[in-house]
Amino acid sequence: KSFFEFAVSNEWLDRNPARLVKEKHSRNEAQSKERIPFSDEELARMFEACETKYARTEDDYRYRWGGQDLADFIAVSVYTGLRISDVCAFHIDRLLESGECHIRTTKNGKKVYTWIPSWLQQRIRARAKIHGPFVFGTHTTTDICVITDVWRRKLLRLWKLCGPWPERPSPHRFRHTFARILLQKTNVTVRDVAELLGNTEEIVRKHYAAWVPERQARLTKILKAAFEGKPKPKLVAIHGGRG
């Protein structure tokens, strides 16, 4: 799979045929796998590279999509938490006039929405005027693997331009970043994040809350404030142990 990924990144192949082969993992491995988000600094680095580096060389004229398109793709991914397949097929009908964005439908038919900032709403609507209702382009194929591979290659090219990376970047880390940003807010509950991601609260606690240092720092601050000034025993010197 790694060899074919290398071939795709160098545009020797249009898609990675090994991507369809699911790797076998043990149950313990799946449970312990850490969800690593992008940091704000890493996001800023990507957006900077979209503006100043991506598709800026002489041989990049052949690319249909430029750095601003890729920046929009990343922004939609981060602010909605959608998987790459859903971002590739993002339809303007997902975005309501209120700024709410439909991200999924539950089993009982209930629609779940997130809200995205006005600047991104404007970008999405502007893209729809240029590219049509599918804001990241229409495709002659219906094979979602082929469609996502197009954007995976663009992201790989971008990440090479603004590396190195302490953790291997991947499109799914944008979804983890969506969760990180929410969990860092004091008024957002694990249940809220679980509903937006379509996961259970248990899964969110296990895979997301643990890697948010700011959340633990906030909890520590709350505990310090809560116990400040509370009654405590008279402290005396602790002598050595038993002889």
Side-chain angles (χ1 to χ4, degrees):
K1 182 177 290 187
S2 298
F3 170 77
F4 282 117
E5 198 67 45
F6 176 77
V8 168
S9 65
N10 284 278
E11 301 188 356
W12 301 339
L13 296 174
D14 291 330
R15 57 174 298 190
N16 183 346
R19 192 183 296 280
L20 299 176
V21 180
K22 299 294 183 181
E23 296 181 7
K24 293 184 178 180
H25 300 281
S26 68
R27 178 173 296 180
N28 290 337
E29 180 184 1
Q31 290 178 347
S32 62
K33 188 175 182 181
E34 193 176 22
R35 273 41 172 182
I36 306 297
F38 289 113
S39 67
D40 288 349
E41 183 276 330
E42 289 172 331
L43 287 177
R45 200 194 319 162
M46 280 185 265
F47 286 132
E48 175 68 18
C50 285
E51 182 178 352
T52 61
K53 297 180 180 180
Y54 189 86
R56 293 289 182 176
T57 61
E58 293 181 359
D59 62 341
D60 284 341
Y61 67 90
R62 65 183 184 276
Y63 298 132
R64 175 188 176 188
W65 305 100
Q68 190 58 67
D69 298 304
L70 196 53
D72 291 341
F73 190 91
I74 293 172
V76 171
S77 300
V78 171
Y79 281 87
T80 63
L82 290 170
R83 294 176 174 85
I84 185 174
S85 56
D86 291 321
V87 178
C88 290
F90 191 97
H91 195 284
I92 188 62
D93 287 348
R94 280 183 178 268
L95 181 61
L96 305 183
E97 288 297 326
S98 62
E100 293 179 318
C101 180
H102 173 225
I103 53 177
R104 69 184 186 89
T105 303
T106 60
K107 292 181 179 179
N108 61 7
K110 176 185 175 182
K111 290 186 176 181
V112 178
Y113 295 87
T114 187
W115 180 87
I116 56 178
S118 57
W119 65 264
L120 186 52
Q121 296 175 39
Q122 294 172 7
R123 291 294 305 175
I124 292 173
R125 294 190 175 101
R127 294 190 65 85
K129 292 180 180 179
I130 298 173
H131 302 290
F134 292 97
V135 299
F136 293 108
T138 56
H139 303 272
T140 56
T141 180
T142 58
D143 189 335
I144 193 61
C145 291
V146 174
I147 296 172
T148 57
D149 274 347
V150 171
W151 288 94
R152 288 180 190 276
R153 291 200 300 270
K154 299 180 189 307
L155 289 169
L156 285 172
R157 191 178 299 118
L158 174 72
W159 289 328
K160 287 181 180 179
L161 292 172
C162 56
W165 301 90
E167 297 288 342
R168 181 182 178 184
S170 70
H172 208 65
R173 287 182 64 186
F174 293 127
R175 182 170 165 85
H176 301 330
T177 306
F178 173 78
R180 170 186 70 80
I181 292 172
L182 291 176
L183 288 169
Q184 288 176 323
K185 297 300 180 183
T186 57
N187 58 338
V188 178
T189 66
V190 171
R191 183 177 181 179
D192 294 331
V193 178
E195 182 174 359
L196 290 169
L197 293 176
N199 290 332
T200 65
E201 292 182 52
E202 180 183 5
I203 291 296
V204 172
R205 287 193 181 94
K206 179 184 296 184
H207 295 306
Y208 290 97
W211 47 244
V212 182
E214 291 85 352
R215 185 176 182 83
Q216 184 56 55
R218 180 180 62 82
L219 293 175
T220 300
K221 183 178 180 180
I222 290 173
L223 290 168
K224 287 181 177 179
F227 288 98
E228 182 70 27
K230 298 301 179 184
K232 59 184 178 181
K234 183 178 180 180
L235 302 179
V236 297
I238 300 176
H239 300 290
R242 295 178 181 177

